[in-house]
Amino acid sequence: MSNQEESDENWIAAMDDLCSQLNVDPGATKKSKDSFAEIKRNFTLEGDSLHWMACALYVACRTSITPTVESGKAVKGNCVSLTRLLRLCNISLIQFFTKIKNWMDMTLMPSDFKDKISRLEHKFAVSTILFRKFQPLFQEIFMGLTNEPVKIKSSKKHKLQPCSTNALFNFTWCLYISVKGEFHNSADDLVDMYHLLLSCLDFMYANAFMADRRDILNPNFRGLPSDWSEDDYEQPNHPPCIISVLCELKDGLAVQARTMKDYSWNRVIKLFFEKGILNGDSEDHLGVLDIGNFDVNVKSLNNLYETYVLSVGEFDERIFLGDHAQEHIGTIKKVSDTEISQVIANFGPSNKGCPDTPLTGRRYLGRRAEELTPVSEANNSLARLASFLRQSKPQPSACLMKLFAECGVSDETITKKVIEPCNTWMEQFAESLLENQCSSETIAYRCNMVTCLYYKVFEHILREEHRKKPQVSLQVLLSQETYQLTVYACCTEVVLHSYGVHSLRFPRVLQIYNLSAFHFYKIIELVVKAVVEKLSRDVIKHLNAVEEQVLESLVWTADSPLWDQLDNTSVPPSAKVTIPESPLRRGIHSPMSTVDRYPPLMADQAKKQLFKDNVKPGQSLLVQTNTKNETSPPTSSNGEITPKTPNTTPKKNNNSLMLFFRKFYSLAVVRMNDLCMRLRLTDDELKRKIWTCLEYSIMHQTQLMMDRHLDQILMCAVYVICKVSNSPTNQVERTFTDIMRCYRARPLADNHVYRSVLINTKEGSPERGDLINFYNRVYVQCMQNFALRFTGRNRDESSLSPLPAARGDATYSPGGQRVSGAPQLSVKTLTASPPPPPPHKHHLTYRFSRRFTRNKHARVVRSGRIEASVRNGGSGEAGSLRKCWSSPEAAGTCQRSTGFVR
């Protein structure tokens, strides 16, 4: 017998043993064996084979259909315990998440299954966060919790005893996760589930308090009545509510928590009493801890939760209560706090708990005043939003109505063009929340919040538009329903993110309102301008990430309206869309108005000229000419030849398309610079080559972007230019392994980007492969002739495209980056020789270093609220800038505008 045959027999025997212990049905057993054999034949499976078998078995089990006793019904999955599967395969939960992602890539699993795994991982992160909150909160209320495991009582008759604190701890967590299971669609929404946990603790406190369990209640708990320890204390008829106390102790929002208790928690608890899952006083929801009830309730809840876990195929959240919890959750080794923290950091309120700052926002978002936990981060966002909307109503304000009256907008127009469409969108949002099993009260509250925010943002945008262009009638803006809808959708995204509604995370909002990403992105900047001073750093950062997500991939889908616009005009070079002088503030760098972004059919008088007459694009390799060295004809995603688009650029009045490519190129150069920095490619000429290649692919091989991702095209450009530019004296060649390793280290990078790239779409069935496969089969066919211009006798490096300044660079504007308006203060990169002094007598120039040194040459210049201390010196010496605030408001403003770190 050969070694290969012996190896096959070993894994087949191991798989049979696993299936036997888990009682897997024959169909799923065969499916898992076939899948494992195919992957083992085509890939090298590193590590323990049992870990990969766990992946094969889980996929086979979760994609099986199991008929139920009820006629005509079936459930997805075959009721195999994920927790038991992992224990038998000796793999931790975190290790499983890593392995299953690789397995899905190798087996080309459909996106809906990948979404299930993503949600499962997110739910684990949320549960971990909540359990870490649960234990200290429990110990605030109760005392006597020890590290000893709960003793399991024997089957022999025994005298019933009151429950211990440890038994109560386990029961409380089991009750919580059982109730949470009733909110399956929203069970991973951090804010709501945290407030549900507070409701659970309030419920358990009420039962212990009314049962007079002084042996387990903490006498120092702030929620107890002040005279509780007095001899003449009389028990009230109803227990005190401790929701407000718990919110004060641990990052809660009292209003939200009470809403969750009254309309969600109490509804499920009432159902549990009616079904006999809980025994006690069904009217007052008490008596759960009474002798005779408690043990029955423990058993009943565990049976209920066991059935739930098997039916949905999720991990057992009772794992946190086990003696070997850290081993089962983290690694086989002891302690895994670092690994668990990484999982928590990667998931949280809205697909990200405390996500990294997007690259394009790092120069505008200042350092946090304090590090926040995922729960406090989410609640901080929600609290600031609620504060901003405290006095608002879901209708146009009196000030907005006055503006309409001043501009001659009739009441009939307001009703038909503003109020009625808004009510329709609110109904669409309510339907999506109803699908998530939200209570009617929660739906009404959130719909009102979105609508209130919409009217405030809409009013701000209208006032700004009227101030900039008083000659343009507001009737023009009110006639554009798509524009108003995108504002409403963006406000919806703000509320969903603030609540941490993971199941409706972006881009789900586009589906709710049937919006295209191309139309949606146009409004993000205007919304940020309207709320930037009012909402939390996390919300602004999220909108920044959403804009990047749209620009990098969502706007390039095959059904995007962008392609319709490109049918009539070709893609412009970056030099054509750059604004020469654009003061930057907090990432907002496009001074276009609403009319420019959403041009109406009859608003020619409102068009805005973006470019000065003396601005001309630089000469570049991108200009196609009728020479012998002509580039290869463009090909479609399936390799077929497609006709070239006309070599024209958008007209100056096509501001909407100009805005898009200005933002797109800005994002692209930031991504390119970051990747080059990580790859240690510092030569400016090499970066210009990479940029020229990338820009050419966008301009003349635009079909490469269809249903693909900016980063995929960027990594291919880096690879090919480094390859053709490599020489014995200039070792710049980088492998795809190097490039992908550095790409993974970038903030918010997704491994799926290079593991699943569209190859072609023959016969309506898209073929996908990894980045190398895409490069060899598609990219090279389109770009090899152009890339060869940078090597051998055809080398022409004098006509490279100019490398645009990255978004956020001080060099983006010749005058530097404005970081303060009063007084006017700008920051510009240090040059070898200082610029000549400007003619304006009040314009002063200072040069700063990183360290502050006091000496006899120091002088102080006071201007407004900023104090600059400068050490006079030569070109190699400088001073430092120190901020001095005369008021908290000034400090907040300048901190936001001068923050250059995460």
Side-chain angles (χ1 to χ4, degrees):
M1 180 183 296
S2 67
N3 293 335
Q4 179 62 41
E5 291 174 340
E6 184 177 356
S7 174
D8 289 343
E9 285 189 1
N10 289 339
W11 76 256
I12 291 174
M15 185 76 83
D16 285 334
D17 183 52
L18 272 176
C19 293
S20 175
Q21 294 187 67
L22 292 167
N23 197 27
V24 178
D25 61 277
T29 299
K30 182 179 184 305
K31 191 174 183 179
S32 61
K33 284 183 179 179
D34 293 345
S35 176
F36 185 83
E38 181 180 358
I39 296 301
K40 191 174 184 295
R41 182 168 56 252
N42 297 325
F43 297 89
T44 300
L45 300 178
E46 298 179 351
D48 195 333
S49 294
L50 274 176
H51 295 178
W52 297 109
M53 291 181 194
C55 297
L57 265 173
Y58 180 78
V59 172
C61 291
R62 294 313 307 162
T63 53
S64 300
I65 302 295
T66 302
T68 62
V69 177
E70 298 181 42
S71 176
K73 291 191 175 182
V75 295
K76 205 77 177 285
N78 56 1
C79 301
V80 171
S81 168
L82 171 61
T83 302
R84 189 155 180 259
L85 169 64
L86 300 186
R87 288 177 180 173
L88 288 174
C89 294
N90 200 30
I91 179 174
S92 71
L93 197 55
I94 289 179
Q95 288 175 319
F96 171 73
F97 287 138
T98 302
K99 295 287 187 182
I100 194 68
K101 289 176 186 177
N102 293 333
W103 184 267
M104 290 188 298
D105 288 334
M106 291 185 290
T107 55
L108 299 178
M109 293 298 297
S111 58
D112 60 339
F113 191 87
K114 293 179 179 180
D115 289 341
K116 289 179 182 178
I117 295 299
S118 175
R119 180 163 183 166
L120 179 64
E121 186 172 16
H122 176 86
K123 186 176 180 180
F124 160 68
V126 170
S127 298
T128 304
I129 293 166
L130 293 174
F131 187 79
R132 290 181 169 184
K133 289 284 186 181
F134 167 63
Q135 185 162 348
L137 277 171
F138 183 89
Q139 290 179 300
E140 287 278 352
I141 305 170
F142 303 99
M143 65 176 184
L145 187 64
T146 67
N147 294 325
E148 296 180 4
V150 178
K151 296 180 180 178
I152 301 176
K153 298 174 182 177
S154 62
S155 60
K156 298 180 180 180
K157 290 185 178 180
H158 59 274
K159 184 179 179 180
L160 295 176
Q161 299 289 336
C163 66
S164 65
T165 305
N166 280 26
L168 180 63
F169 179 80
N170 289 0
F171 175 77
T172 303
W173 181 251
C174 189
L175 175 62
Y176 168 65
I177 58 179
S178 297
V179 174
K180 186 159 66 82
E182 297 294 317
F183 303 92
H184 182 61
N185 288 338
S186 56
D188 50 2
D189 296 344
L190 182 59
V191 174
D192 281 351
M193 292 306 102
Y194 177 63
H195 290 141
L196 192 74
L197 177 62
L198 299 186
S199 302
C200 179
L201 289 166
D202 174 79
F203 174 80
M204 297 311 303
Y205 167 81
N207 274 269
F209 180 84
M210 296 306 291
D212 201 26
R213 290 295 306 273
R214 293 174 179 261
D215 57 317
I216 59 176
L217 285 170
N218 181 2
N220 297 320
F221 176 54
R222 287 163 46 186
L224 288 168
S226 57
D227 59 343
W228 185 71
S229 58
E230 302 294 332
D231 293 337
D232 58 348
Y233 172 75
E234 293 184 5
Q235 191 84 334
N237 295 327
H238 301 285
C241 177
I242 60 170
I243 289 290
S244 297
V245 177
L246 296 178
C247 288
E248 291 175 7
L249 287 171
K250 296 289 181 181
D251 304 320
L253 298 175
V255 174
Q256 304 294 329
R258 289 195 195 97
T259 301
M260 182 61 66
K261 174 188 173 181
D262 294 340
Y263 300 110
S264 297
W265 174 267
N266 287 344
R267 175 173 58 84
V268 177
I269 290 298
K270 180 181 179 181
L271 189 65
F272 279 12
F273 274 102
E274 291 175 351
K275 290 184 175 181
I277 298 171
L278 289 178
N279 290 329
D281 185 346
S282 59
E283 183 176 346
D284 295 327
H285 299 172
L286 299 174
V288 173
L289 305 184
D290 291 355
I291 295 177
N293 285 341
F294 181 76
D295 289 344
V296 176
N297 289 334
V298 168
K299 184 177 180 180
S300 177
L301 274 181
N302 277 287
N303 289 338
L304 173 70
Y305 186 71
E306 186 79 27
T307 302
Y308 164 76
V309 169
L310 292 176
S311 66
V312 298
E314 296 183 350
F315 74 99
D316 192 331
E317 293 180 70
R318 294 173 299 182
I319 193 174
F320 296 103
L321 302 171
D323 296 338
H324 304 286
Q326 288 185 334
E327 294 177 9
H328 294 149
I329 294 170
T331 62
I332 303 303
K333 301 176 183 177
K334 186 74 173 175
V335 181
S336 56
D337 274 357
T338 301
E339 289 180 272
I340 293 175
S341 297
Q342 288 174 352
V343 174
I344 293 173
N346 288 334
F347 297 85
S350 177
N351 193 38
K352 299 288 180 182
C354 296
D356 290 332
T357 303
L359 286 178
T360 54
R362 293 200 160 197
R363 286 183 174 267
Y364 312 107
L365 289 170
R367 185 182 298 276
R368 298 175 186 272
E370 58 178 341
E371 288 300 319
L372 301 176
T373 66
V375 170
S376 60
E377 174 102 64
N379 282 330
N380 175 55
S381 297
L382 192 56
R384 293 193 62 169
L385 178 60
S387 177
F388 179 44
L389 303 176
R390 185 161 293 143
Q391 304 298 327
S392 303
K393 295 181 180 180
Q395 61 190 37
S397 68
C399 294
L400 181 55
M401 295 298 289
K402 182 180 178 182
L403 176 64
F404 283 144
E406 292 172 352
C407 296
V409 181
S410 66
D411 291 343
E412 182 182 0
T413 300
I414 296 172
T415 300
K416 288 187 176 181
K417 299 294 187 180
V418 179
I419 298 177
E420 289 181 359
C422 185
N423 292 338
T424 301
W425 304 329
M426 187 161 56
E427 291 174 2
Q428 290 177 257
F429 182 46
E431 290 177 5
S432 66
L433 293 177
L434 187 61
E435 293 173 2
N436 264 39
Q437 301 177 343
C438 292
S439 66
S440 57
E441 293 78 12
T442 297
I443 292 174
Y445 188 88
R446 293 184 183 178
C447 286
N448 281 346
M449 182 172 280
V450 170
T451 307
C452 289
L453 180 61
Y454 164 74
Y455 278 119
K456 288 183 78 73
V457 172
F458 186 48
E459 179 179 347
H460 180 277
I461 293 174
L462 286 182
R463 288 191 178 279
E464 283 296 298
E465 189 67 23
H466 185 61
R467 180 183 64 82
K468 293 176 183 177
K469 298 187 175 183
Q471 76 279 10
V472 179
S473 171
L474 291 187
Q475 300 274 8
V476 174
L477 293 177
L478 297 184
S479 66
Q480 301 178 75
E481 187 171 318
T482 300
Y483 148 66
Q484 294 180 66
L485 176 56
T486 53
V487 177
Y488 196 91
C490 195
C491 292
T492 303
E493 183 62 26
V494 169
V495 171
L496 289 175
H497 178 75
S498 298
Y499 271 99
V501 185
H502 178 73
S503 52
L504 296 179
R505 67 192 183 277
F506 191 81
R508 183 70 174 85
V509 71
L510 302 181
Q511 300 168 13
I512 293 174
Y513 299 113
N514 194 26
L515 267 175
S516 72
F518 182 66
H519 288 139
F520 181 80
Y521 96 93
K522 300 177 188 178
I523 207 67
I524 296 176
E525 184 176 306
L526 297 179
V527 172
V528 170
K529 283 183 177 180
V531 300
V532 68
E533 306 294 341
K534 303 297 182 182
L535 301 186
S536 71
R537 177 184 189 275
D538 177 61
V539 170
I540 303 302
K541 187 167 67 172
H542 172 68
L543 292 178
N544 188 181
V546 165
E547 184 182 77
E548 286 198 9
Q549 187 179 351
V550 169
L551 294 173
E552 70 190 10
S553 61
L554 294 182
V555 80
W556 296 101
T557 57
D559 58 350
S560 173
L562 173 63
W563 298 106
D564 294 333
Q565 293 204 26
L566 293 180
D567 284 343
N568 302 319
T569 181
S570 62
V571 177
S574 60
K576 277 279 190 180
V577 298
T578 302
I579 299 179
E581 297 185 22
S582 176
L584 303 180
R585 187 172 184 269
R586 224 185 143 92
I588 308 303
H589 70 294
S590 300
M592 292 179 62
S593 67
T594 302
V595 174
D596 297 314
R597 295 163 192 267
Y598 295 86
L601 296 177
M602 47 190 295
D604 292 336
Q605 75 280 7
K607 300 297 184 181
K608 183 174 183 179
Q609 184 174 340
L610 293 181
F611 306 100
K612 297 182 178 179
D613 294 336
N614 59 352
V615 178
K616 297 181 180 179
Q619 293 300 316
S620 133
L621 286 173
L622 304 182
V623 178
Q624 291 186 343
T625 57
N626 296 323
T627 62
K628 295 180 180 180
N629 193 18
E630 201 170 83
T631 59
S632 62
T635 58
S636 65
S637 56
N638 60 11
E640 297 177 354
I641 302 297
T642 58
K644 293 182 181 180
T645 56
N647 186 31
T648 60
T649 56
K651 297 179 180 179
K652 292 182 179 180
N653 62 359
N654 193 350
N655 290 338
S656 176
L657 199 60
M658 285 292 195
L659 171 63
F660 168 74
F661 280 106
R662 182 183 310 148
K663 283 180 171 287
F664 177 78
Y665 283 133
S666 177
L667 174 64
V669 75
V670 167
R671 296 277 177 90
M672 187 199 73
N673 284 336
D674 180 78
L675 187 58
C676 288
M677 180 270 294
R678 296 178 190 277
L679 287 166
R680 298 182 180 180
L681 301 174
T682 58
D683 181 66
D684 286 341
E685 185 175 284
L686 179 65
K687 288 197 288 187
R688 285 185 64 195
K689 291 179 184 179
I690 295 172
W691 176 254
T692 302
C693 182
L694 176 64
E695 191 176 24
Y696 177 87
S697 65
I698 301 301
M699 288 180 60
H700 301 299
Q701 300 289 344
T702 317
Q703 78 286 342
L704 285 173
M705 284 296 300
M706 184 176 288
D707 285 328
R708 296 191 179 98
H709 195 289
L710 166 63
D711 294 339
Q712 294 165 352
I713 310 303
L714 170 61
M715 285 188 277
C716 288
V718 171
Y719 175 81
V720 71
I721 293 300
C722 288
K723 188 175 185 66
V724 300
S725 302
N726 192 61
S727 67
T729 58
N730 187 26
Q731 299 286 340
V732 295
E733 186 171 4
R734 299 293 187 269
T735 66
F736 266 121
T737 301
D738 296 330
I739 294 171
M740 289 184 286
R741 173 179 52 78
C742 292
Y743 172 76
R744 285 196 301 269
R746 199 201 74 203
L748 305 183
D750 187 353
N751 297 355
H752 186 67
V753 168
Y754 59 77
R755 285 176 174 162
S756 180
V757 189
L758 177 68
I759 304 300
N760 62 53
T761 54
K762 291 181 179 178
E763 299 178 359
S765 177
E767 178 189 354
R768 307 188 76 86
D770 59 29
L771 186 63
I772 299 175
N773 195 354
F774 164 73
Y775 175 85
N776 290 328
R777 294 178 56 184
V778 180
Y779 186 85
V780 167
Q781 306 304 317
C782 299
M783 296 295 297
Q784 64 178 348
N785 286 357
F786 182 79
L788 290 175
R789 293 188 178 189
F790 299 105
T791 184
R793 68 180 69 179
N794 295 324
R795 183 177 301 176
D796 183 7
E797 297 173 359
S798 62
S799 55
L800 297 175
S801 293
L803 187 64
R807 180 175 174 179
D809 284 355
T811 54
Y812 189 79
S813 169
Q817 179 181 357
R818 179 178 296 183
V819 295
S820 175
Q824 291 188 6
L825 179 66
S826 299
V827 177
K828 187 176 181 181
T829 305
L830 186 67
T831 56
S833 58
H840 198 288
K841 62 180 180 180
H842 297 299
H843 190 135
L844 303 178
T845 301
Y846 300 99
R847 311 181 80 191
F848 305 112
S849 69
R850 296 180 180 178
R851 291 185 298 177
F852 172 65
T853 305
R854 292 184 180 275
N855 60 28
K856 61 183 180 180
H857 300 293
R859 62 183 179 136
V860 174
V861 179
R862 296 180 184 273
S863 178
R865 294 171 177 170
I866 299 181
E867 179 182 20
S869 180
V870 184
R871 184 183 66 181
N872 210 358
S875 61
E877 296 180 299
S880 69
L881 179 64
R882 180 167 58 90
K883 287 171 287 195
C884 217
W885 318 117
S886 58
S887 70
E889 293 79 8
T893 300
C894 289
Q895 183 181 10
R896 284 189 296 271
S897 62
T898 58
F900 293 107
V901 293
R902 291 178 57 187

